[in-house]
Amino acid sequence: MRKSVWWVLGIIVVLVAVVVGIHQISHSAKAKTETITVGSMGSDYDIWKHIAKSKDAKEAGLKIKVQQVTDGVQLNNGTAQGNIDVNAFQSYSYYEAYNKQHQKQQLSALGTTYLEPMGIYSKKYEKVSQIPDGATIAIANNPANTARDLLLLQSAGLITLKANFSSLGNVSDIKSNPKNLKFKEIDDTTGPRVLKDVDAVLISNTVALEGHLHVLSDSIFHEKADQSTRANINILATAKKHASSKQYKKLVKLYHKKDIQRYIKDKYYGTKIEVQKPISYLK
C-alpha cells in the first residue's frame, strides 16, 4: 500500500514538473517573440510596414506592429508614456526640441536612420537669387522645423541668424534680412498645397514626396548631407526608461540591412540618404 502511494506521488511530481517546464518554455518563447509597436507617419510608416513583413525581421526574431499617428507631438507623447514602444519619424533636432519642452516626458534616441533633405520650393522662381525684395516665404509653425527652415534659408544666403541660434530658434533670431522677406508660418504638412500662394515654401522631404515633389530635382535649393546638417538626421526614439533595451536597439540594425536599404532607395528615388552613425555624432 505504501509503495502504491509513493508511486502515485512520484507520478504527480513528474507531471507537475512537466507542466511547469512546458509553461516556462512557453513563457520563454513568448518573451522572445514579444511584439514591438513602432509608431510612425507618412513614408516612414510605409517603410516600417515593409520592414515588419520582411525576411530580415523574421531572421532577427522581431515581431513588429506598426501604428500610424499623424501628429508628431502626439506620437512622441504616446512613446514617452509607453503606449508606443519606438517611434520612427523625427529628426534629431525635432527630438531635442520635444525633450526641452516636455521635461516630465523624456525620450531617448536609439540610433540613426537617414537624412531626408529639406528643400526650398517655388512655382515663381527657378533660383534662390531670383527671389525678390519683400517676398513671402512660408515656413513651418512647429519649433524644430521652424529652426531648421531658418538655417536652410541662411545656407541659401537669404538671411543671417544670431550666433546663439538654437534648435528652438525662430524669426526673432534673424540678425540680418537684406531682402526684407516676410515669413508666413504654416502647418508644415500643407507645404505643397500653399506653394502657389507664396513666393517660396520650405517643405520636408516626407511631405514633398506625398505632394509628388522630388527634393533633388524640384527644389530650388536643398540641404546637403554634411556636418552642418547632422542635427537633421532622423532617428529611432523610445521612452527614456527603455533606452538600454536590446530588443529595441535591434530595430536600428534591422533598418540598415542591405535588402531594406535597397527597397528604400528604389521606392523613394534616393531622397532618404542612409546615415549609420553613433548618437554621439549628432551632439
Side-chain angles (χ1 to χ4, degrees):
M1 184 72 178
R2 286 182 180 177
K3 287 183 179 180
S4 298
V5 170
W6 284 112
W7 183 77
V8 172
L9 287 174
I11 291 175
I12 292 172
V13 169
V14 170
L15 288 173
V16 169
V18 169
V19 170
V20 170
I22 291 172
H23 174 75
Q24 288 177 337
I25 291 170
S26 175
H27 180 75
S28 176
K30 285 180 180 179
K32 288 180 181 178
T33 58
E34 182 180 356
T35 300
I36 300 174
T37 300
V38 174
S40 196
M41 64 172 74
S43 57
D44 287 320
Y45 172 77
D46 295 329
I47 286 171
W48 281 93
K49 288 286 285 185
H50 172 82
I51 291 174
K53 298 175 183 177
S54 70
K55 178 183 176 183
D56 291 303
K58 187 175 182 181
E59 289 177 350
L62 293 171
K63 186 176 181 182
I64 303 167
K65 175 186 177 183
V66 188
Q67 183 175 334
Q68 185 164 219
V69 180
T70 57
D71 180 87
V73 175
Q74 292 305 314
L75 182 44
N76 271 344
N77 286 344
T79 305
Q81 293 161 8
N83 299 320
I84 292 167
D85 298 318
V86 175
N87 69 44
F89 80 98
Q90 66 192 317
S91 66
Y92 188 73
S93 60
Y94 190 102
Y95 153 86
E96 278 196 313
Y98 176 86
N99 273 351
K100 285 180 181 177
Q101 293 180 315
H102 299 80
Q103 296 295 322
K104 294 182 179 180
Q105 293 191 157
Q106 294 287 286
L107 297 172
S108 183
L110 292 166
T112 63
T113 51
Y114 63 86
L115 172 71
E116 201 168 25
M118 178 80 73
I120 302 175
Y121 296 81
S122 177
K123 285 286 188 182
K124 300 177 181 180
Y125 309 106
E126 295 181 357
K127 298 178 182 179
V128 169
S129 59
Q130 295 174 345
I131 294 175
D133 288 357
T136 298
I137 311 295
I139 61 174
N141 65 359
N142 69 70
N145 281 341
T146 299
R148 184 175 179 179
D149 287 353
L150 293 174
L151 285 167
L152 183 56
L153 290 172
Q154 177 173 251
S155 296
L158 292 170
I159 61 172
T160 302
L161 300 168
K162 294 176 182 177
N164 61 350
F165 188 78
S166 72
S167 60
L168 293 177
N170 54 49
V171 292
S172 67
D173 296 309
I174 296 174
K175 181 180 178 180
S176 173
N177 181 9
K179 289 195 173 187
N180 297 307
L181 300 175
K182 297 173 184 177
F183 300 99
K184 180 179 181 180
E185 293 194 353
I186 62 169
D187 178 337
D188 55 350
T189 63
T190 65
R193 297 201 293 275
V194 304
L195 191 51
K196 64 182 183 298
D197 301 321
V198 293
D199 294 292
V201 56
L202 284 84
I203 309 175
S204 68
N205 188 54
T206 296
V207 176
L209 286 171
E210 291 169 358
H212 308 291
L213 296 169
H214 190 301
V215 66
L216 303 182
S217 58
D218 295 326
S219 69
I220 60 174
F221 191 86
H222 59 80
E223 290 173 336
K224 304 297 187 292
D226 55 30
Q227 277 289 106
S228 69
T229 58
R230 66 186 184 278
N232 300 327
I233 291 169
N234 276 44
I235 61 168
L236 297 184
T238 187
K240 194 170 184 178
K241 63 182 179 181
H242 298 312
S244 60
S245 170
K246 291 181 180 179
Q247 283 293 94
Y248 295 175
K249 286 182 178 180
K250 283 183 180 180
L251 293 174
V252 180
K253 291 183 179 179
L254 178 60
Y255 177 86
H256 292 289
K257 289 287 186 180
K258 288 182 179 180
D259 290 346
I260 301 299
Q261 285 305 306
R262 191 179 302 114
Y263 165 82
I264 295 170
K265 185 177 181 179
D266 291 345
K267 186 171 179 64
Y268 299 102
Y269 316 105
T271 63
K272 293 178 183 285
I273 303 165
E274 182 186 12
V275 178
Q276 195 169 9
K277 296 282 188 181
I279 292 300
S280 58
Y281 172 80
L282 308 179
K283 298 178 181 178

